Amino acid sequence: MSEHFDVHGGARLVGEVEVVGAKNSVLKLMAAALLAEGTTTITNCPQILDVPLMADVLRSVGCEVVIDGGTATITTPAELSHRADSAAMGKLRASVCVLGPLVGRLKKAIVALPGGDAIGQRPLDMHQSGLRKLGATTTIEHGCVVADAETLQGAQVWLDFPSVGATENILMAAVLAEGTTVIDNAAREPEIVDICTMLTEMGAKIEGAGTSTLTVHGVETLHPTEHRVIGDRIVGATWAFAAVMTRGDLTVTGVNPHHLDLVLEKLRHAGAEITTFDEKGFRVVQHDRPKSVDFVTLPYPGFATDLQPFAVALSAVSEGTAMITENLYEARFRFIEEMMRLSADARTDGHHAVVRGVEQLSSAPVWASDIRAGAGLVLAGLCADSVTEVWDVFHIDRGYPHFVENLNRLGAQIQRVAGDPDRA
Ligand code: UD1
């Protein structure tokens, strides 16, 4: 049975909210546990559906996984299966991150093509060409990436684009390769730094984490570790946008504000008063109607594509006109069609959207197409004139632990309702 949220408009969000570990980090860290025989413990895990799904992926290759609240305990056997083609693989994008560790440890892997958000084409060409540079053959056969190597040899790898997933897979194969691998034009996201930190704790030798050049000196074996996942900057930023859009006052903890430097600067331009607390969190206070600001999505440290729906939702209720440019995922502007149901004044042209702010949105039934679009629609609903029904909320549940409970605690009025939509 479907579920939707009834979001009552007119809320002002006030209070404190804690952010837990990053979805886009924890799933890769769980995959990294495949690299070492023994028991690895990952703490500060978010309680979202993707974590048990990733646990199923790891079980399918032979691991024992126990998830207890925010702690995942993964016991990796000496003998792992190289086949990761279970049904769980198709349910999340991050499942492809078992490719690098399996190739690293077993020198071969059969990994089902991943699922995940419908936000546009997500090819694996850079993942494959990187592994080929290390000496593996890779093909796509019967819906799987098939990789095989006699030995893995360190190499110079240039990425066409700083892809997060490709950087992670090549890195996780290279840590157990012979010799030195240099990944140039590597992704610099905080989640990449997190995985480099964990791999280093496991005995890997990595230089340049957080820069465009990662140098990996291969080692023979890695050992298990205990690692705490970094706070989810995308969830943290969602709360920052929520504070600005509802003219609220939110203190957000559990996330490093430096991971959001550009985002917080943009929100200051929109009129927010922002205080940051070392590496622990920040407070956002918005008194008046926000002012429009332009946004351009780019790899980190640019403005994250995952935050683009919030940029659109904010612009829809701001004073003035904003230009929003999406450089990563062409299909992400589908979200704007849903925003237009809420009477947003927006036009798209290729990679660009022009959004003219209106005083108030008009409630309507809307459909979430991915995690962030769904959360963006909830925030827009908080700024609409009556009750906005947000459907397909399973997307939101994949990325936001206790979202409705937190919103209601902070002053929103939202109900989760079971039942099928009466869609025309
Ligand atoms: C990760 C995040 C996702 C985020 C994205 C960009 C996870 C689970 N997901 O996805 O939330 O939106 O980073 O910040 O961590 N590309 C290729 N060939 C490849 C790989 C990527 O052309 O082999 C392209 C993609 O189509 C996209 C761009 O590169 O246009 C960025 O993709 P990438 O950084 O790889 O994103 P993901 O790791 O899939």
Side-chain angles (χ1 to χ4, degrees), residues 24 28 93 121 123-126 163-165 306 328-329:
N24 286 349
K28 326 303 177 59
R93 174 73 187 174
Q121 279 188 24
L124 295 175
D125 53 314
M126 287 188 264
S163 152
V164 173
D306 286 354
L328 277 86
Y329 292 111

Side-chain angles (χ1 to χ4, degrees), residues 3 73-74 84 92 96 167 171 213 255 261 267 276 296 328 419:
E3 283 183 328
T73 310
I74 301 160
L92 70 170
V96 77
T167 302
L171 173 68
T213 306
V255 64
D261 279 338
L267 295 179
T276 57
V296 179
L328 277 86

Side-chain angles (χ1 to χ4, degrees), residues 340-365:
M340 286 163 74
R341 288 180 202 271
L342 300 176
S343 81
D345 183 354
R347 297 282 176 280
T348 55
D349 185 6
H351 287 256
H352 303 288
V354 172
V355 185
R356 296 181 179 88
V358 296
E359 285 268 352
Q360 189 166 47
L361 296 169
S362 171
S363 295

Side-chain angles (χ1 to χ4, degrees), residues 41 53 104 157 219 296 298 336 362 404 408 410 412 414:
T41 306
L53 283 176
V157 178
V219 295
V296 179
L298 279 173
I336 288 183
S362 171
V404 170
N408 285 339
L410 298 168
I414 303 182

Side-chain angles (χ1 to χ4, degrees), residues 68-405:
D68 182 10
T71 301
T73 310
I74 301 160
T75 304
T76 301
E79 300 289 323
L80 272 179
S81 164
H82 70 285
R83 293 190 78 98
D85 54 0
S86 66
M89 290 293 292
K91 295 186 182 152
L92 70 170
R93 174 73 187 174
S95 60
V96 77
C97 269
V98 300
L99 178 63
L102 290 179
V103 173
R105 252 198 85 187
L106 308 173
K107 313 291 176 261
K108 59 179 178 177
I110 299 179
V111 172
L113 291 170
D117 286 329
I119 55 179
Q121 279 188 24
R122 302 177 88 174
L124 295 175
D125 53 314
M126 287 188 264
H127 301 238
Q128 293 190 73
S129 65
L131 294 179
R132 283 192 204 120
K133 278 274 167 66
L134 299 182
T137 57
T138 74
T139 48
I140 304 283
E141 290 173 33
H142 313 297
C144 294
V145 185
V146 180
D148 220 321
E150 287 275 306
T151 58
L152 283 183
Q153 200 67 48
Q156 170 76 48
V157 178
W158 288 275
L159 296 179
D160 288 348
F161 184 91
S163 152
V164 173
T167 302
E168 289 163 341
N169 261 330
I170 299 163
L171 173 68
M172 287 196 277
V175 287
L176 290 179
E178 285 172 25
T180 299
T181 300
V182 178
I183 309 173
D184 249 323
N185 203 18
R188 294 191 276 161
E189 271 69 1
E191 293 76 22
I192 301 279
V193 178
D194 201 22
I195 201 168
C196 286
T197 306
M198 173 162 154
L199 291 170
T200 304
E201 289 159 3
M202 294 169 79
K205 302 228 173 324
I206 303 169
E207 292 154 19
T211 74
S212 300
T213 306
L214 285 173
T215 304
V216 185
H217 304 287
V219 295
E220 273 193 14
T221 52
L222 295 174
H223 53 78
T225 189
E226 180 170 336
H227 183 83
R228 183 180 166 84
V229 187
I230 56 162
D232 196 318
R233 66 194 163 99
I234 305 297
V235 173
T238 304
W239 291 117
F241 275 93
V244 176
M245 287 176 66
T246 66
R247 297 179 216 184
D249 179 350
L250 290 183
T251 298
V252 182
T253 60
V255 64
N256 186 340
H258 297 306
H259 296 166
L260 292 171
D261 279 338
L262 176 58
V263 177
L264 298 180
E265 188 59 16
K266 285 278 170 191
L267 295 179
R268 283 191 184 100
H269 287 303
E273 282 171 21
I274 299 177
T275 323
T276 57
F277 313 119
D278 296 325
E279 296 182 357
K280 297 190 180 69
F282 55 88
R283 179 179 177 194
V284 180
V285 185
Q286 179 81 25
H287 296 293
D288 304 314
R289 185 176 172 199
K291 292 191 177 36
S292 289
V293 280
D294 293 343
F295 293 91
V296 179
T297 69
L298 279 173
Y300 190 84
F303 186 81
T305 173
D306 286 354
L307 296 177
Q308 186 249 97
F310 307 108
V312 171
L314 169 66
S315 308
V317 295
S318 294
E319 192 184 330
T321 300
M323 164 91 95
I324 293 154
T325 306
E326 171 56 59
N327 286 315
L328 277 86
Y329 292 111
E330 71 277 20
R332 270 213 143 127
F333 277 153
R334 277 187 212 145
F335 166 73
I336 288 183
E337 286 166 32
E338 297 305 303
M339 284 298 295
M340 286 163 74
R341 288 180 202 271
L342 300 176
S343 81
D345 183 354
R347 297 282 176 280
T348 55
D349 185 6
H351 287 256
H352 303 288
V354 172
V355 185
R356 296 181 179 88
V358 296
E359 285 268 352
Q360 189 166 47
L361 296 169
S362 171
S363 295
V366 285
W367 274 261
S369 53
D370 68 74
I371 302 175
R372 312 301 167 192
L377 290 171
V378 170
L379 300 196
L382 294 174
C383 303
D385 58 358
S386 59
V387 180
T388 298
E389 289 177 12
V390 180
W391 287 90
D392 289 350
V393 297
F394 59 90
H395 287 296
I396 305 175
D397 293 335
R398 281 192 43 222
Y400 291 87
H402 311 301
F403 197 43
V404 170
E405 293 80 356

